[in-house]
Amino acid sequence: MWCPAEPRPVPHGGLLLLLLLNFVPSFGRETLLTTSVIPQSDQSIACEDFIHLNILEKRVLNDSEVSVQYLCSKPCTVTLEAVASSEFRTGVLVYKKRWKNEKHLHISRTQTVHLKFPNIMVYRDDYFIRRSILVNTVILYAWISHKPVGSYDAKRDESYLQAVAKNYTLLETVPPCERPYKDHKVCFKWSSEHMWRLQANRIPQCPHETDAVEILGFPYASSGEKTGIVKKFKRFHNRELETIRQHQIDYPKFTISVWLYLLHHCEKNLCGIIYFIDPGEMYSTPAVFLNEEGYVHIQMRLVKGEDLAVKTSFSLPLKQWFRLDLSFNGGQIEITSVGKNLKRHQHQSFNFREDFYYDDVAGYFVLGGSGYAPGIEGFFGPVKYYRLNILETKQISNPLYDKEIMEQIELYYERCADIQEIVSGYGHLVKQGQAVQKDCIRENYYSELNYKYGAKTKCDAFIWGKELREKYHSLFNLLREMDFSPSDVSEDQNNTVLEVGRRIFEKVAKSLSRADGLHYMSSSILFLMDSSCCGYHKASFFLAVIFETGLAVSIDPLQGLLYSLVGAQRSERLAVMNLGYKHYQGINNYPLDLELSYAYYNNIALKTSLDQHATKGDQAFVEPIRLRDDELLKSQTKENGDVFMWLKYEATRGNAAAQQRLAQMLFWGQQGVAKNPEAAIEWYSKGALETEDPILIYDYAILLFKGHGVKKNTRLALELMKKAASKGLHQAVNGLGWYYHNFKRDYIKAAKYWLKAEEMGNPDASYNLGALYLDGIYPGVPGRNRTLAAEYFYKAAQGGHIEGTIRCSLYYITGNMENFARDPEKAVIWAKHIAEKNGYLGHVIRIALNAYLELSWHEALLYYVLAAEAGIEVSQTNLAHICEERPELARRYLATNCVWRYYNFSISQINAPSFAYLKMGDFYYYGYQNHSKDFQLSVQMYSEAALEGDSQGFFNLALLMEEGNSIPPYILDHLEINRTLHSSNISILQELYQRCWSHSNQELINPCSLALLYFYLRVFWNNLLHSTLIYFMGTFLVSILVAFAVQYFQSLSANDSQAPRPEQSPDVHSTENTSDTRSTEQEESTPTNNLAQHPHLIS
């Protein structure tokens, strides 16, 4: 009996519920109401189909029992599904069961189902279930679908929406901490179970993530050059934040707040403040610059791909701290300038005709300069970036983190303004007086001679007030002693000030280099400060090191930081490297910041190549000479030294090798010889023209090509280059390619020669080929190929090429190049490697070494401290060596523990020497002064020495085990000792002694070979004592000895019983004689004992 479709009575309010159920809400209320759905296209469906859900415990539990009561009027399929939703995902199917009913029609049936949910939904975390999830809702759906009959029905799906009858209910979720543990019915190790129980009751917490990012949290000295801080941002881990970020790509909402201290406005077109570089190495949103007039230039990338720029109507102030806040909202920009008191100075708004395009993970930020634009001249303070929010100035949380250093920077430049004004004015007055005197000396010959050779003019009529003269009395006294004649001092007032600063510094440096120079350190501080203010920033670096190390003064970290920043801002090489090193290691209260460290090291790396080709300046070749190496120390010489004179003699006789070595020493300033390019060129010329040595020919050809110290002669240079190339010199083959590239613009021939040189292993050729691909001028290859260029640059860097290494370090810091994953630490290491080749650094190291060789201890200590604080590992170990040799000198003039500090610094360096690890290992094992013992660290230090191939490291580890100590398993793994040996101390000792011997050149007699022999003897003896054979042999020998003893006593007994009894008197007489004899012998054999017992008997 089929019933027609007709309205059914619905309870009051049920119509709305019915409609809601038909639309299947994501999160519905619990209901047991059965809904009968009859599509208009099918009026033949029976009206009695229904389905009910009965659950005893409506919680998300495993094995929950659900009773499903249903009725099918036609062959049907019953489906039961559980759908879960969490914080990050919705509508996840976690359970499904289906069954068919084709026979029992028009009959109400009941099916019992046991629900099974994923373990992470119903159980607590344990050893196997590591991350249970928090589920917000679980909805259990049940529905009936009729089996399709015709072609039309076959197309209908069996989903919940198309069901004949359906029902759902909401299950209550259980928080993770209230869930039971699962019985896995698996036994695991006691140690694993114990470790798990230790942390089983910890409440899991999600890592906090916010859109507010601190780009910079420490002062950065921006020198106005093409180097700066590179920052790259990743996607949010929080899915909601990441979803918001992606939605805002074409309608960005973000805020940037940056503190600035400007010394000058931009000298060139535009100077970078903060800007974004996209994957195509193009400016994108935002790009904020400073122009020549001090206005802010802002460039934005629009959604359609256009770039538009605006300029503020106000300029930024000089020599005062201020904060620049920029908010970006769709196509609108709000820019505000506030002072230290956070009061608004300037404000301006800009509205663009289109929204901005901004994806902050597709590229990288630059703070300051880069290869595309110079940075500002001044200092960056804290920089805050809100990635997803627009904030007003009062809502931004970006205070000055350390007001003391900010105030010190302001005070420094205020004081320096006074100093520069005094020096400039004084020099001008003296020159005016000299000009008047010069006009009046033509009266007689005596006056003219007096002007030339007499005392120089001094200015006693000061125009400055008494208060200023008293404040800078030491400076005025110095100025009165100086010669301001035109031949010595430039007419330019700025150069005059710089020249005065140089003279002050040289006077102080000479004073400090005396035999007792450090004794006058405290009186030299004011002069160094004046020199620094005059713009001579070698004095700034001196002051930074003096205050940071307490070199003959009290330690003052604030003043040390101030002068480090000031020197770095003016690109004083060692001051920049000092900051780069401190941020790389995170020492001396400098935060560990690899991006900031890279900015400093990259600055000096870029200068190193240029400095090497400069003929002027205090430079020397950087030579890693250790004071422990007697052979290298003996090879050092000077222009009047034996080694140099012998080379000169051999070179004069036409010895090509001597000419080559002599020319290199003079050109680069090597082996203790002062840099003298003019003299070097003479030897290059003589060797190239008189000998057939290809290296001399090539070197001289390069000098002729570039005109370094000699007149350019391209024709002769080409002839010499071809001659050297014909002799198979790969540098000359590369040189021919360089000639055709630079002089003929013949890229086909250039590429041909470079490919040949590259096959011969020339790194310069690899770099040049990369440059062709980067510039898009490689023959036969259309367009630029940055990826292939980077591969050639990397190959060049592997060969030690300076520019190739710098480019690769840039790829590692930006992560913007294929095959170069972002690695800030590797970028710092590569840039540091090039920076430490700088000639100005080599000059300081050379002064220190010469002072050591001349036994000038004060000067050696001073200059080795300077080089060590710049992060030079060889100088650090050399300084520690001096402090060990002269402990009283170190204790008197250094406020830090010299030996511990610099050995400790050295072991943190790449490729630290093994002896430094051994030193620190001894310090940790025995304790050193106020440093306590640490066995674990001592073992670690010895193992590092062992890994460096030092036999002493293996020997020390073996001795530790001999003393009853155990070496941690992770150390043994670090030494790559087979784990099968870990359980036996004997096996570990054998391995350590064998490695000790193998790393000691396998000499026949050395400590390692003797220790190994002794070890084998002990093992053999112990094995012998514990063997079965030795017990058998011992028992046998004892048995024989016992048998002989028994037989011997038996024979004695038999003899006594058979012998006649002797006379009484002879026996007594003989006994008395024996007794007398024995007493006499005893007295004669122990005279020393008698004298000791009776000292009063000795006359």
Side-chain angles (χ1 to χ4, degrees), residues 26-52:
S26 298
F27 304 100
R29 294 178 299 168
E30 178 186 349
T31 178
L32 294 178
L33 177 64
T34 302
T35 306
S36 179
V37 181
I38 306 175
Q40 295 180 0
S41 60
D42 189 357
Q43 301 292 333
S44 62
I45 297 177
C47 59
E48 61 263 47
D49 291 81
F50 71 87
I51 186 167
H52 288 290

Side-chain angles (χ1 to χ4, degrees), residues 13 124 244 251 270 287 499 516 550 610 695 707 819 935:
R124 292 185 66 170
I244 295 172
Y251 193 91
L270 292 174
E499 177 64 20
D516 58 346
L610 300 175
I695 295 179
N819 300 328
F935 175 77

Side-chain angles (χ1 to χ4, degrees), residues 87 120 123-126 129-134 175-179 181 196 199-208:
E87 181 181 1
I120 57 176
Y123 293 114
R124 292 185 66 170
D125 285 353
D126 59 15
I129 305 172
R130 292 304 177 97
R131 290 187 178 181
S132 59
I133 60 173
L134 177 63
C177 295
E178 297 180 10
R179 298 172 189 169
Y181 288 105
W196 171 251
Q199 52 184 340
N201 294 323
R202 295 179 183 175
I203 300 175
Q205 294 183 353
C206 297
H208 178 69

Side-chain angles (χ1 to χ4, degrees), residues 327-554:
S327 296
F328 302 86
N329 182 15
Q332 183 181 9
I333 301 175
E334 299 280 341
I335 179 169
T336 306
S337 171
V338 300
K340 286 196 301 183
N341 56 4
L342 299 184
K343 290 185 178 180
R344 178 185 292 185
H345 290 173
Q346 304 287 345
H347 175 79
Q348 194 169 356
S349 299
F350 299 98
N351 289 295
F352 286 68
R353 66 173 183 268
E354 190 180 329
D355 294 337
F356 307 137
Y357 178 84
Y358 179 55
D359 186 357
D360 65 352
V361 301
Y364 58 91
F365 269 104
V366 176
L367 201 66
S370 68
Y372 307 107
I376 61 168
E377 288 191 61
F379 301 91
F380 282 90
V383 180
K384 199 75 170 282
Y385 170 40
Y386 297 88
R387 300 177 66 181
L388 304 177
N389 285 302
I390 309 165
L391 300 178
E392 297 180 2
T393 296
K394 60 183 179 181
Q395 296 175 309
I396 295 173
S397 176
N398 185 26
L400 284 172
Y401 38 76
D402 190 347
K403 290 186 177 180
E404 282 188 322
I405 187 60
M406 303 305 180
E407 292 173 356
Q408 287 296 320
I409 290 175
E410 288 185 326
L411 291 173
Y412 171 83
Y413 285 103
E414 289 175 5
R415 180 180 185 275
C416 288
D418 293 340
I419 297 289
Q420 292 173 11
E421 182 181 355
I422 292 171
V423 173
S424 177
Y426 186 89
H428 180 69
L429 287 176
V430 172
K431 288 175 184 177
Q432 279 186 331
Q434 288 174 344
V436 172
Q437 184 180 10
K438 187 176 181 180
D439 294 336
C440 302
I441 64 173
R442 304 301 181 185
E443 298 177 358
N444 55 55
Y445 181 68
Y446 172 77
S447 300
E448 186 174 353
L449 291 177
N450 185 54
Y451 174 75
K452 288 182 179 180
Y453 305 109
K456 301 301 178 182
T457 305
K458 295 182 180 180
C459 180
D460 294 320
F462 293 123
I463 61 172
W464 297 276
K466 180 179 179 182
E467 182 180 351
L468 196 64
R469 279 183 289 156
E470 290 179 351
K471 183 177 181 181
Y472 302 110
H473 67 279
S474 59
L475 175 63
F476 281 108
N477 292 334
L478 270 177
L479 292 174
R480 294 182 63 183
E481 297 173 2
M482 284 190 182
D483 180 13
F484 283 85
S485 58
S487 59
D488 294 332
V489 179
S490 171
E491 296 293 332
D492 187 351
Q493 294 300 316
N494 291 330
N495 290 338
T496 298
V497 175
L498 182 61
E499 177 64 20
V500 169
R502 184 188 66 82
R503 291 185 183 184
I504 296 173
F505 173 78
E506 289 180 350
K507 182 176 181 179
V508 173
K510 185 177 180 180
S511 172
L512 295 177
S513 299
R514 293 184 300 181
D516 58 346
L518 295 180
H519 181 70
Y520 304 98
M521 179 64 76
S522 52
S523 61
S524 302
I525 296 295
L526 280 177
F527 297 124
L528 288 172
M529 289 180 174
D530 293 340
S531 176
S532 171
C533 278
C534 290
Y536 200 75
H537 289 287
K538 286 185 179 179
S540 300
F541 178 62
F542 266 60
L543 289 167
V545 172
I546 289 168
F547 284 123
E548 285 189 351
T549 61
L551 185 58
V553 298
S554 300

Side-chain angles (χ1 to χ4, degrees), residues 257-259 321-325 336-339 342 393 396 398-399:
S257 175
V258 52
W259 283 95
W321 284 102
F322 65 92
R323 196 177 79 187
L324 195 65
D325 298 334
T336 306
S337 171
V338 300
L342 299 184
T393 296
I396 295 173
N398 185 26

Side-chain angles (χ1 to χ4, degrees), residues 90-133:
T90 58
V92 180
L93 182 64
V94 294
Y95 177 81
K96 184 173 184 178
K97 184 177 178 64
R98 301 178 68 182
W99 66 90
K100 295 181 180 179
N101 181 19
E102 299 179 351
K103 299 179 180 180
H104 307 284
L105 305 178
H106 303 287
I107 300 175
S108 177
R109 293 181 60 79
T110 301
Q111 177 82 13
T112 301
V113 178
H114 293 273
L115 299 179
K116 296 289 185 181
F117 295 107
N119 290 336
I120 57 176
M121 287 179 56
V122 292
Y123 293 114
R124 292 185 66 170
D125 285 353
D126 59 15
Y127 188 78
F128 298 98
I129 305 172
R130 292 304 177 97
R131 290 187 178 181
S132 59
I133 60 173

